[in-house]
Amino acid sequence: MMAVRTAVGWTGDAIEIIDQTLLPAEERIIRLSTVDEVVDAIQRLAVRGAPAIGVTGALGVLLAGDDDAEAERIASARPTAVNLRWAVERVLAASDRKAEALAILEEDVAACRAIGSYGRAELPEASKILTVCNTGRLATAGWGTALGVVYAKQEAGEPVEVFACETRPLLQGARLTAWELDDAGIPVTVLPDGAAPALLAGGQIDAVIVGADRIAANGDTANKIGTYALAIAARHHGVPFYVAAPRSTLDPATPHGAVIEIEERDGSEIRSIAGLEESTRVWNPAFDVTPASLITGLITDAGVLRAPFGPAIEGVLS
Ligand SMILES: CSC[C@H]1O[C@H](OP(=O)(O)O)[C@H](O)[C@@H]1O
C-alpha cells in the first residue's frame, strides 16, 4: 500500500491510487496495472487533478511497454489539463523512462511545497480563503497547489480557514476538499457554488485561490467550471484572485485561453442529480477560462508571477 496518502503512487510494477469516486464514504486504494485501467481511472476521475493525472500518465507509460500508441491513449484520456500530455511525452522522450517518471512525481511533491511557501507569503497571517474544486493532496503527488498554500499556513502555525464551493456536478469541493481539510484539522465551510458572490460581498474573504489545468502563454487560465464566475465576483468586490499551479501547468504553446480545448462531459452527470429524462438537453463543460486580466497573481513553484503575465511566464520557463 502507498506510504503517503496522496492521489497517486508507484509500487515498483503498478500504480496505486485512491479511488476518488468513492470519497468521502470510503478511502479505497486500487492498483492500475494496465493501460486500459489507467485510461479508465483518468476518464472516470478515480484519479483527477491536473498534476495528479500528469504523474499518473507518466507512470502509465511504464505500463505501456514500447507501444507508443498505447501511451498516446493515456495522453489523450482527458484534453484540458496540459500536465497529462506533457508528462507522457516527457517520459516517452527519456532514455530511462522509469527514472523520468519517478522524477516527475518527485518534482511535483517539491513544487507543491514551493507553491505553499510562496502563496503563504502573499496572505495575511490569519486568512480566510475561498476556493473551488479540489486542489490538495488528492489533486497532486504532494500536498496540493491552492490547498498547498493552506497546508503551508497550517504548518507555520498561522490561522487559516477555507470556504469550499461544492463544485457541481461532481462535487470535488464538497466530497474531496472538505474530506481532506477535515482530515487535516483545518476549518472548512462548504457552500453552494451560487453562494460565492454573496460570501465575497460580505467582506470576510481575504483571497480566492484556485488551481489550474492549463495556463496559456498570456496567463489566461483554464480551471474547473465556476472559476471564471469566482474571478468576476472577486474583482467586483476587490478581493485578490490567485491561481496556484506548478510550472508543469504553464503551456507556452497555447497563446491564449480562447484556443484551450474544454472537456465536455456526459450529460448524465447532470441528469442523474435532478432525475432528468434522457431526452433533456444538458451542457456540461468541465472547465472554463479565466482571462489573465482578472488574475492578481500566478502562485507557482518559481515564485508569484504578476501582470504582464506573458513575459513573467516566459521568464520562469527559460
Ligand atoms: C491542482 S489543480 C487541479 C485542477 O483539476 C481539477 O479538475 P478535475 O477535478 O476535473 O480533474 C480542477 O480544475 C482543479 O483546479
Side-chain angles (χ1 to χ4, degrees):
M1 288 301 176
M2 279 192 292
V4 182
R5 293 172 62 217
T6 55
V8 54
W10 178 248
T11 68
D13 61 359
I15 300 166
E16 280 187 344
I17 65 168
I18 296 172
D19 184 339
Q20 299 185 33
T21 64
L22 303 177
L23 289 172
E26 181 186 358
E27 184 178 357
R28 183 188 303 173
I29 294 173
I30 62 174
R31 281 170 64 91
L32 309 177
S33 306
T34 68
V35 170
D36 283 347
E37 290 172 345
V38 171
V39 171
D40 173 67
I42 292 172
Q43 290 183 332
R44 66 185 182 88
L45 279 71
V47 60
R48 44 140 304 277
I53 64 176
V55 170
T56 304
L59 296 170
V61 174
L62 307 184
L63 302 177
D66 292 330
D67 187 340
D68 290 1
E70 285 292 274
E72 174 56 31
R73 288 181 57 217
I74 297 173
S76 52
R78 290 184 76 192
T80 306
V82 64
N83 310 59
L84 180 55
R85 180 167 294 279
W86 165 82
V88 169
E89 292 181 352
R90 179 172 153 185
V91 174
L92 286 174
S95 53
D96 183 337
R97 290 183 173 182
K98 181 177 178 181
E100 200 70 18
L102 293 175
I104 288 171
L105 188 153
E106 290 308 321
E107 286 167 17
D108 190 60
V109 173
C112 286
R113 290 206 65 92
I115 289 165
S117 174
Y118 285 120
R120 180 182 151 234
E122 284 291 301
L123 299 174
E125 182 177 346
S127 297
K128 294 187 179 183
I129 295 166
L130 172 64
T131 193
V132 64
C133 200
N134 171 260
T135 60
R137 62 183 173 89
L138 291 172
T140 66
W143 70 0
T145 57
L147 288 190
V149 176
V150 171
Y151 292 130
K153 289 187 68 64
Q154 182 192 43
E155 185 179 77
E158 297 174 350
V160 61
E161 180 179 358
V162 175
F163 289 80
C165 293
E166 61 180 349
T167 317
R168 292 169 68 94
L170 297 181
L171 303 178
Q172 288 94 324
R175 289 189 305 111
L176 306 180
T177 293
W179 179 81
E180 266 200 47
L181 295 178
D182 280 341
D183 184 65
I186 295 172
V188 55
T189 302
V190 175
L191 63 148
D193 299 329
L199 180 66
L200 289 164
Q204 64 174 305
I205 298 298
D206 295 296
V208 178
I209 312 180
V210 302
D213 290 81
R214 189 184 296 255
I215 301 172
N218 70 343
D220 292 348
T221 295
N223 195 54
K224 184 51 53 193
I225 189 74
T227 302
Y228 178 34
L230 282 187
I232 292 168
R235 178 54 56 87
H236 181 74
H237 292 292
V239 176
F241 179 91
Y242 291 99
V243 172
R247 277 171 287 177
S248 53
T249 306
L250 298 174
D251 180 15
T254 295
H256 52 80
V259 297
I260 295 176
E261 182 181 353
I262 300 298
E263 177 187 4
E264 277 198 47
R265 296 187 63 84
D266 192 89
S268 62
E269 294 178 349
I270 304 284
R271 293 191 193 94
S272 61
I273 294 172
L276 298 176
E277 295 295 328
E278 191 59 33
S279 59
T280 303
R281 286 185 286 181
V282 168
W283 184 51
N284 184 21
F287 304 101
D288 57 27
V289 175
T290 296
S293 59
L294 294 177
I295 299 173
T296 306
L298 297 173
I299 304 170
T300 78
D301 52 313
V304 180
L305 312 185
R306 305 180 203 278
F309 290 110
I313 290 169
E314 205 172 313
V316 296
L317 293 179
S318 59

